[in-house]
Amino acid sequence: MFGRKLTLLAMVSAAIASGASSSAGIQPGTFTAQGAFPTSLYTNYYNNPTATVSQVQPVISDPVTQKTYPLALTDPDTIPLNNTVDPHPLPPPASPSLVLAHAIAQVQSIATNPIFGNSTCARCQAALEVGKFVALTTPDQGPALVVALCEYFNYSKTCETSYGPLALGPVITQVIANADVGGYDGQSLCQNFLSLCPVPPTSPLNLTSWFAKPKPNPLPPPKTPSGTRLKVLHLSDAHLDPRYATGSESNCTSGLCCRENNVNTASPNRTLAPAPRYGAYLCDTPFSLLTSALESIPPLTGTQDTGFAWTVYTGDLVSHDPDNQLSRDYIMYAETLIYDLFKRLLGSGPVYPALGNHDSYNQAQDAPYSIGGYLASQFSWNYDHVAYLWQHEDWLPEAAVELARAHYAAYMVKRQDGLRVITLNTDLWYRANYFNYINLTYPDTSGMLRFLTDELQDAEDAGDRVWIVGHVLSGWDGTNPMANPSNLFYQIVDRFSPHVIANIFFGHTHEDQLSIFYANNGTNMSAQTAQAVSWIGPSITPLTNLNSGFRVYEVDSATFDIVDAHTWRSEVNTFPALDSQLQYGPTYSYEYNTRQAYGANFTWGPNDPLNATFWHKVTEVMEADPSLVTTFNTYQGKGSVLTPPCTGTCATAKICYIRSGSAPLARQNCPAGYGSVQ
């Protein structure tokens, strides 16, 4: 496909600033990427790769499909209005007997639903009833009904392109055909997408039947630390925008900026803020910023010769295009290009990726296999594609590749050093995935959490430690995951922590955050009951109003605990000044050391892990000294000049979010509205 590993020295145009080295050889300095694009990355280009007036357009060939992606797919001047090649299939027509059975069941469901007295909620669910029978009897008319209702209620200005037969119309038709629209599913649909119903209660769990064995009591003795530290890289949310148009409007009124088709309505015929070559706060990652970031990582982390022990990538490769401008090819293009760049620019050591909500078409949509028939495999093209790409890059063994193909691109890898890495497709608990509104009272319709539980049980039986890697976080402020599956996930983490689960990793928010998991569903939150922690990685993309960043962990080679963590950032507000010259590109600077930033106010040994107990103690210091919340808030936005301050209720909310590992805990306990610095 492409020439392999670039010689890094040929790409370097500036040196690392001097600085004291940590125990793992981390350099707390800066690195400035070269100004000119490294043209040796690719053999062929559709445009002049040395030009600075536009982003490069390399010729990309897919090693899995053997397809060469055309320029029209990524050309900023030819953004499509609709994907006419591969819309989602419609469900099969129902038999008359099935229509009758569903009619009876739905009437019964409405009659027994205690919330039906709420008039707006009742109207919404009654409307869904009409849609259900259309979806069951004449599914080809489902998208037309969705568009007609969208236009009638003025729900969107892009009803046809957003909800027509070439967009989300078939997805919504599938969901309504299979959901209990008169009951819990319908209430949740009306609440999440239309705000017409109250939030339904979290369903009770039967954990006795869920777990094959009770939690060991006493727990197995903890593994003895080796004292040897491994370097592990955490990257997230690259969001490469191959349609980024240098010089276009970077301060557009709506949508994704730095695109030829988006303007500032205050000045539609004149560009107010030309898009810099390396990116802007309202834009996704241009090619030049992605390569600069990856170029910076090895010299900053001292891994030019050794590579990382491994890398976790917590999802989202693709830009934030509206669905009507996406296609399967656009998704596969980003997957092919970015995984290849990881392989060539980050050195040796496997990358363990998880799919993000933007790594799907339509974005955020993944159907449970339980939907049945040919609809169950409608996203298999993507699972097969990424699984074979990961195999092509020599990151996954054959067994993990087959698991990924069969489990929504989720897999388990048992490394030779004794660590198991389990990844999840978190679209299957993401609120924006319409398919999650089928059979909502059951917390694991997809089977993803059954897969996770079984893998954790195998790890416990073998005495192995586990890292869990996903994209959409399970907790924090509770705005992203569904309540029931994130509640079950919390109980799974409790059951297998701290003796099996060493760490959990998410992305999605683009911000630097974390969540603590406690015993007994957080009924007593203390240092003694803290079980596990999820690290939410900073994004490479600046979207929205953030700096670009990445993190490296120091990991004990025996326990697989994180002993220290280091975060770097590049200040996006400096990028406009780089346009007038070719010598220098973006500078990535050392932002902070986690142990030093948060552990100075209580006793914590220099080799003690940064585990859930450590982080609970940090929250106790935050309660006594709100200035530490200010520090956390600054790092949350990666030091962006646009990060707003956090005081008063905001500070209280942030501490509560850190202590919330599930959506129900966040919604029950925490003030709403302070989750993001964007």
Side-chain angles (χ1 to χ4, degrees):
M1 179 174 60
F2 310 129
R4 280 295 177 195
K5 174 76 175 171
L6 277 177
T7 301
L8 186 64
L9 293 177
M11 299 173 61
V12 175
S13 63
I16 306 169
S18 60
S21 177
S22 79
S23 59
I26 300 296
Q27 296 288 344
T30 63
F31 178 89
T32 301
Q34 65 173 347
F37 185 83
T39 57
S40 57
L41 270 175
Y42 302 98
T43 303
N44 297 304
Y45 295 83
Y46 287 117
N47 62 355
N48 178 5
T50 63
T52 60
V53 295
S54 61
Q55 298 292 317
V56 299
Q57 292 286 344
V59 179
I60 302 297
S61 298
D62 193 315
V64 175
T65 64
Q66 306 303 313
K67 175 185 295 185
T68 297
Y69 295 104
L71 173 61
L73 184 68
T74 57
D75 189 344
D77 296 324
T78 59
I79 297 176
L81 297 179
N82 274 303
N83 167 34
T84 60
V85 178
D86 41 29
H88 284 285
L90 292 164
S95 66
S97 60
L98 184 59
V99 172
L100 176 62
H102 273 291
I104 295 171
Q106 293 303 310
V107 170
Q108 291 173 340
S109 184
I110 291 173
T112 58
N113 187 346
I115 202 67
F116 199 69
N118 183 310
S119 61
T120 58
C121 189
R123 289 194 199 102
C124 182
Q125 291 189 261
L128 288 178
E129 292 285 4
V130 176
K132 185 175 185 72
F133 291 115
V134 171
L136 286 169
T137 57
T138 53
D140 58 316
Q141 296 302 307
L145 176 64
V146 176
V147 170
L149 293 176
C150 173
E151 293 174 342
Y152 180 80
F153 290 107
N154 196 27
Y155 181 71
S156 169
K157 295 181 180 179
T158 59
C159 292
E160 179 67 34
T161 56
S162 296
Y163 301 105
L166 301 177
L168 283 170
V171 168
I172 296 174
T173 303
Q174 290 183 53
V175 172
I176 292 177
N178 287 276
D180 175 15
V181 297
Y184 195 100
D185 296 349
Q187 182 180 340
S188 299
L189 282 163
C190 292
Q191 186 277 322
N192 187 61
F193 294 102
L194 299 170
S195 300
L196 295 177
C197 286
V199 177
T202 304
S203 299
L205 295 173
N206 184 351
L207 297 178
T208 302
S209 63
W210 183 263
F211 296 115
K213 300 177 182 178
K215 189 170 185 174
N217 186 15
L219 293 176
K223 294 182 180 295
T224 303
S226 68
T228 300
R229 299 188 183 187
L230 308 172
K231 294 178 184 176
V232 177
L233 175 65
H234 184 178
L235 294 176
S236 197
D237 294 87
H239 287 292
L240 172 67
D241 185 2
R243 295 166 173 166
Y244 185 104
T246 303
S248 62
E249 182 58 68
S250 67
N251 187 28
C252 63
T253 302
S254 63
L256 184 62
C257 299
C258 302
R259 290 291 189 88
E260 292 289 4
N261 61 338
N262 283 337
V263 300
N264 190 311
T265 54
S267 178
N269 298 316
R270 182 172 66 90
T271 301
L272 298 179
R277 186 157 41 109
Y278 290 103
Y281 282 123
L282 299 181
C283 310
D284 265 331
T285 306
F287 211 126
S288 54
L289 178 59
L290 177 62
T291 55
S292 295
L294 297 179
E295 173 189 348
S296 302
I297 292 170
L300 283 172
T301 58
T303 57
Q304 302 98 311
D305 300 322
T306 61
F308 292 98
W310 66 88
T311 295
V312 293
Y313 183 74
T314 47
D316 271 8
L317 307 164
V318 183
S319 54
H320 289 80
D321 291 65
D323 280 328
N324 60 292
Q325 295 174 9
L326 296 173
S327 63
R328 292 187 187 184
D329 275 0
Y330 193 74
I331 304 300
M332 292 191 291
Y333 170 93
E335 293 167 346
T336 301
L337 186 149
I338 296 176
Y339 292 145
D340 174 74
L341 283 179
F342 288 172
K343 178 72 172 183
R344 290 193 287 148
L345 298 185
L346 296 178
S348 60
V351 178
Y352 300 123
L355 284 192
N357 59 293
H358 284 276
D359 305 331
S360 181
Y361 175 74
N362 297 106
Q363 72 92 12
Q365 307 305 307
D366 275 293
Y369 294 142
S370 59
I371 199 171
Y374 61 85
L375 298 179
S377 61
Q378 62 189 296
F379 292 93
S380 293
W381 62 271
N382 200 23
Y383 312 148
D384 290 345
H385 186 248
V386 293
Y388 287 136
L389 282 178
W390 299 335
Q391 184 179 47
H392 174 78
E393 304 297 359
D394 294 323
W395 293 337
L396 299 188
E398 180 67 28
V401 170
E402 293 309 311
L403 275 177
R405 294 183 62 208
H407 289 82
Y408 313 100
Y411 56 88
M412 185 280 293
V413 173
K414 183 175 181 179
R415 293 171 46 83
Q416 291 184 348
D417 55 16
L419 176 69
R420 298 190 187 208
V421 178
I422 303 173
T423 70
L424 303 175
N425 182 341
T426 54
D427 267 359
L428 299 167
W429 70 35
Y430 186 34
R431 290 178 66 190
N433 181 6
Y434 283 96
F435 291 101
N436 287 336
Y437 295 82
I438 299 172
N439 192 22
L440 254 180
T441 53
Y442 185 65
D444 189 34
T445 300
S446 68
M448 178 182 70
L449 296 178
R450 179 76 267 159
F451 163 75
L452 171 65
T453 305
D454 292 345
E455 292 293 345
L456 288 170
Q457 185 62 65
D458 287 346
E460 182 180 75
D461 293 343
D464 291 338
R465 296 278 274 165
V466 168
W467 279 20
I468 298 173
V469 180
H471 178 67
V472 177
L473 57 165
S474 64
W476 185 247
D477 65 348
T479 58
N480 287 286
M482 308 290 290
N484 287 342
S486 70
N487 182 39
L488 176 56
F489 178 74
Y490 196 101
Q491 314 314 315
I492 294 169
V493 172
D494 180 5
R495 164 63 182 82
F496 292 100
S497 297
H499 60 300
V500 177
I501 299 173
N503 285 287
I504 305 167
F505 303 88
F506 295 124
H508 184 62
T509 66
H510 301 186
E511 300 176 21
D512 185 342
Q513 302 161 325
L514 76 148
S515 290
I516 305 169
F517 297 75
Y518 298 87
N520 300 316
N521 204 32
T523 51
N524 175 21
M525 297 182 179
S526 67
Q528 290 72 37
T529 62
Q531 300 283 307
V533 62
S534 63
W535 301 75
I536 303 163
S539 65
I540 294 176
T541 184
L543 197 73
T544 305
N545 295 334
L546 303 168
N547 284 327
S548 175
F550 63 89
R551 179 181 293 134
V552 170
Y553 303 107
E554 296 182 40
V555 179
D556 185 89
S557 64
T559 65
F560 303 105
D561 288 326
I562 291 173
V563 186
D564 213 341
H566 309 265
T567 306
W568 286 263
R569 73 180 186 215
S570 187
E571 297 184 9
V572 175
N573 60 308
T574 66
F575 290 175
L578 301 176
D579 281 353
S580 59
Q581 51 81 50
L582 280 175
Q583 186 176 4
Y584 301 115
T587 295
Y588 277 83
S589 303
Y590 190 81
E591 185 179 21
Y592 74 100
N593 170 274
T594 301
R595 178 179 291 274
Q596 294 173 358
Y598 294 113
N601 294 312
F602 56 90
T603 301
W604 202 253
N607 294 311
D608 290 341
L610 305 184
N611 56 16
T613 302
F614 169 87
W615 282 108
H616 182 83
K617 288 180 176 291
V618 171
T619 62
E620 291 178 335
V621 175
M622 287 178 170
E623 288 177 320
D625 181 7
S627 67
L628 191 58
V629 179
T630 299
T631 299
F632 182 92
N633 188 69
T634 299
Y635 292 151
Q636 187 176 336
K638 291 166 280 184
S640 170
V641 295
L642 299 179
T643 296
C646 179
T647 58
T649 303
C650 174
T652 302
K654 288 287 172 75
I655 297 169
C656 190
Y657 298 156
I658 293 172
R659 293 175 175 174
S660 299
S662 72
L665 284 180
R667 295 175 191 174
Q668 293 164 13
N669 299 335
C670 305
Y674 300 96
S676 175
V677 298
Q678 299 177 46

